[in-house]
Amino acid sequence: MPNLSQSEWRDVQSALQAAADCGCAETSGETIGLRFVAALTGRRRLPVPEHLRPLREFLCASERLRRPAMQYAPALAAQGYSPAQIEAIGLISA
């Protein structure tokens, strides 16, 4: 597990919470079920905010690959995530 300070772990937790409602529409079988329920109830997901797109892409790819999808790491680094934070997010989501 990456060595992170308490504040870095809080940032990782905040990022994961912010992206939790974004979903992985292209890949998740669960999302198909959620879409069906949304169609029945009329509830729709909000579009992914622009600043969360790199994080969502990283999370969804890591989930699909079942390992950190490091090809998305440069976009997260450009947003200010440290290499250790990126590794932690990838390990948690894989």
Side-chain angles (χ1 to χ4, degrees):
M1 200 45 107
N3 186 17
L4 298 174
S5 69
Q6 286 184 351
S7 98
E8 288 175 313
W9 277 116
R10 278 192 300 274
D11 291 344
V12 166
Q13 181 182 14
S14 294
L16 292 172
Q17 287 173 345
D21 293 332
C22 294
C24 297
E26 300 82 14
T27 59
S28 173
E30 179 179 278
T31 302
I32 293 169
L34 291 175
R35 280 195 221 154
F36 178 72
V37 171
L40 291 176
T41 63
R43 296 179 72 195
R44 296 182 184 244
R45 286 182 171 238
L46 297 174
V48 178
E50 191 65 37
H51 72 282
L52 291 179
R53 286 182 188 202
L55 179 61
R56 185 191 77 155
E57 290 171 0
F58 180 74
L59 292 170
C60 293
S62 296
E63 183 180 328
R64 271 194 316 275
L65 297 170
R66 295 194 168 114
R67 62 179 169 73
M70 297 311 287
Q71 67 268 32
Y72 296 96
L76 294 178
Q79 288 188 322
Y81 291 97
S82 72
Q85 286 175 310
I86 295 168
E87 182 184 358
I89 292 168
L91 291 172
I92 291 168
S93 63

